[in-house]
Amino acid sequence: MSEQPHILVIEDHQPNAMLVCDLLSFHGFRVSWAPDGVTGLDMVTKDPPDLILMDLQLPRLDGFELTRRLKSDPQTSHIPIVALTACAMISDAERAMSAGCDGYLTKPINTRELPQTIRKFLKVSTANNP
Ligand code: MN
């Protein structure tokens, strides 16, 4: 991992994506954004990130299916995926975890929790893949 960890935000709701990207840039991460699942898959393949923030309801390829694909491919299965779920949707969080997500955050995003959660998952990932 470079000293500036690379986070890919896959989120179709642009205001939410911009908020998350700005926040992560402010905390020193390198950030990329994909507005749909197919673009996200393409970006992971071309420039593998250190962690993915994954919205679940996405056009073209939803976050559940994209997570399944990434976690079943040995080239990408090590990349931690943190799902972004709507607050009330407990079932979404459960489905995200069974699709292979490493964790989840509920929307609206808690601006203090987000960078902490990302650092935690990056640390676990580095420990598992030295
Ligand atoms: Mn969405």
Side-chain angles (χ1 to χ4, degrees):
M1 200 188 309
S2 66
E3 57 183 83
Q4 212 190 6
H6 175 204
I7 313 298
L8 174 61
V9 179
I10 308 178
E11 160 71 272
D12 62 317
H13 185 60
Q14 189 169 344
N16 198 40
M18 293 303 102
L19 175 80
V20 168
C21 290
D22 285 351
L23 186 65
L24 293 179
S25 302
F26 176 79
H27 282 274
F29 297 100
R30 177 162 80 88
V31 190
S32 319
W33 171 49
D36 65 74
V38 172
T39 306
L41 180 58
D42 189 51
M43 288 172 74
V44 173
T45 309
K46 288 182 177 148
D47 184 15
D50 297 304
L51 183 143
I52 298 167
L53 278 179
M54 180 81 79
D55 182 29
L56 298 170
Q57 319 302 332
L58 290 167
R60 301 176 81 194
L61 180 62
D62 73 31
F64 301 104
E65 181 56 30
L66 179 51
T67 297
R68 271 182 225 111
R69 289 199 199 181
L70 293 171
K71 289 297 184 181
S72 63
D73 182 342
Q75 299 290 333
T76 54
S77 59
H78 65 284
I79 302 172
I81 301 178
V82 177
L84 301 174
T85 69
C87 205
M89 300 297 281
I90 305 281
S91 61
D92 266 11
E94 286 169 358
R95 280 180 68 206
M97 298 303 281
S98 63
C101 286
D102 299 273
Y104 63 89
L105 286 164
T106 52
K107 294 194 274 192
I109 292 300
N110 178 318
T111 54
R112 275 165 58 99
E113 187 184 24
L114 178 67
Q116 287 171 3
T117 301
I118 286 180
R119 285 198 193 94
K120 183 183 83 179
F121 280 104
L122 287 171
K123 211 175 281 175
V124 171
S125 163
T126 309
N128 292 342
N129 307 283

